[in-house]
Amino acid sequence: MTATERFDGQVALVTGAARGIGAGVARGYVERGGRVALVGLEPDRLAALADELGPAAAWWEADVRDSASLKAAIDAAATHFGRLDHVLANAGIASYGTVRQTEDATFERVVDINLNGVFRTLKHAIPHLERTRGYALVVSSLAAFTPAAGLGAYTASKAGAENLAVATRQEVAHLGITVGSCHPGWVDTDIVRGAEDDLPSFKQARQRMPWPANGTADVDLAVQLVLRGMARRETRVYVPGKVAAAAWSKAFVTSRAAWPYLRRVVGPLVPQMEREVEALGRQHSNHVPTGKPGRAPAKG
């Protein structure tokens, strides 16, 4: 880590901060001299993380689906710390099921959190980032480049989040704000572990996908790459770096030429996947408890 990758005197706001990449980035940001506002829906976890990080951290319970709740949390965090320099729009969930078997409410929930939640986060953070000429990083996914059967809601929402980040970057450049998109591959988090435990067909499909879509990255590596991207204000952050190959090959992967291969590799697993989802008794959403929308007291 170089001096230019420290965050002394700066403040980051992280949504989905209670676990996984969000919690790891919060810890790393404080270790590098910064202060962090933790936003999420698991008050016990948020409070424990804030206690661990000490006076450099404060937390707010807020739902990215609730614009008023989220705005209140972002505004309160900026007031509490006196500024916001970085925002990590990290809150997200995944769901299983093909389009024909997914409930409307399940699909809408995934999109509302993964895409609309990013919109709300950016919308309410931009006035504060304008004051510091700050940086926002939107967590999209490898799935934005490699759509996957059985994950339609997730892949659609993550592709939308990527494009929203690019459009917003153009809109706020004159304000001195930079917006980037982060594209984790399959990272060893609760979402990926849960999917593989619930759906053996999902694990098989991943193993059959071409490089780099068939690998799993370590959470610690993901955290370090996200922190480096934030420090450097990168417009693209790939986790791990080889995910860049998927970005550049997207046109081919979704082309007519690649379709026979994808149909042969993935197609036979779809009926098995549908049976596994039905056996679960739900179009499962891999997410943390929603809790009650609202702002929790800040720890300071």
Side-chain angles (χ1 to χ4, degrees):
M1 179 180 63
T2 66
T4 58
E5 293 181 1
R6 290 189 57 82
F7 301 107
D8 299 284
Q10 296 184 312
V11 176
L13 182 140
V14 180
T15 67
R19 61 175 73 215
I21 292 174
V25 168
R27 291 187 178 97
Y29 198 92
V30 170
E31 289 172 0
R32 297 183 183 202
R35 296 174 292 167
V36 65
L38 312 171
V39 177
L41 283 173
E42 295 178 277
D44 292 345
R45 282 180 172 269
L46 293 170
L49 181 57
D51 286 341
E52 173 192 332
L53 298 178
W59 65 275
W60 287 264
E61 183 182 1
D63 191 338
V64 296
R65 297 175 298 164
D66 182 336
S67 192
S69 164
L70 185 60
K71 182 179 187 302
I74 291 172
D75 290 347
T79 298
H80 178 80
F81 287 112
R83 61 188 296 138
L84 288 180
D85 299 276
H86 297 90
V87 170
L88 181 66
N90 172 68
I93 64 170
S95 69
Y96 321 143
T98 60
V99 168
R100 69 174 180 167
Q101 71 178 158
T102 299
E103 297 291 338
D104 291 15
T106 298
F107 190 95
E108 291 163 3
R109 176 179 173 81
V110 173
V111 172
D112 200 21
I113 293 172
N114 293 2
L115 177 54
N116 299 347
V118 169
F119 157 73
R120 297 180 190 112
T121 302
L122 292 173
K123 175 183 175 71
H124 299 310
I126 284 170
H128 302 291
L129 294 176
E130 181 180 1
R131 298 186 185 102
T132 59
R133 301 177 71 83
Y135 172 80
L137 184 61
V138 170
V139 178
S140 176
S141 173
L142 164 68
F145 312 131
T146 57
L151 293 172
Y154 181 77
T155 58
S157 65
K158 290 301 187 177
E162 179 202 9
N163 282 287
L164 179 60
V166 174
T168 307
R169 182 191 313 151
Q170 297 169 13
E171 295 171 357
V172 300
H174 71 285
L175 302 176
I177 301 171
T178 305
V179 178
S181 61
C182 176
H183 300 272
W186 302 107
V187 179
D188 185 25
T189 61
D190 292 343
I191 286 179
V192 173
R193 286 194 299 270
E196 293 192 339
D197 289 343
D198 283 344
L199 303 175
S201 59
F202 170 74
K203 186 173 184 178
Q204 293 177 51
R206 281 217 307 121
Q207 291 172 342
R208 295 181 185 182
M209 292 296 286
W211 179 91
N214 56 3
T216 301
D218 180 75
V219 174
D220 290 339
L221 172 63
V223 166
Q224 294 306 311
L225 292 174
V226 170
L227 288 167
R228 187 178 70 181
M230 293 171 68
R232 297 180 179 182
R233 299 169 65 101
E234 293 179 351
T235 55
R236 283 285 181 94
V237 178
Y238 299 111
V239 180
K242 63 186 179 184
V243 171
W248 289 108
S249 63
K250 178 183 177 181
F252 174 74
V253 170
T254 57
S255 72
R256 181 177 180 179
W259 171 238
Y261 171 80
L262 290 173
R263 183 175 182 175
R264 184 174 66 254
V265 169
V266 178
L269 292 173
V270 170
Q272 177 186 342
M273 183 181 297
E274 290 185 325
R275 290 192 296 269
E276 290 168 355
V277 171
E278 291 299 328
L280 290 172
R282 65 202 188 279
Q283 279 67 52
H284 179 79
S285 287
N286 225 333
H287 59 83
V288 298
T290 58
K292 181 179 179 182
R295 181 176 68 85
K299 175 189 178 301

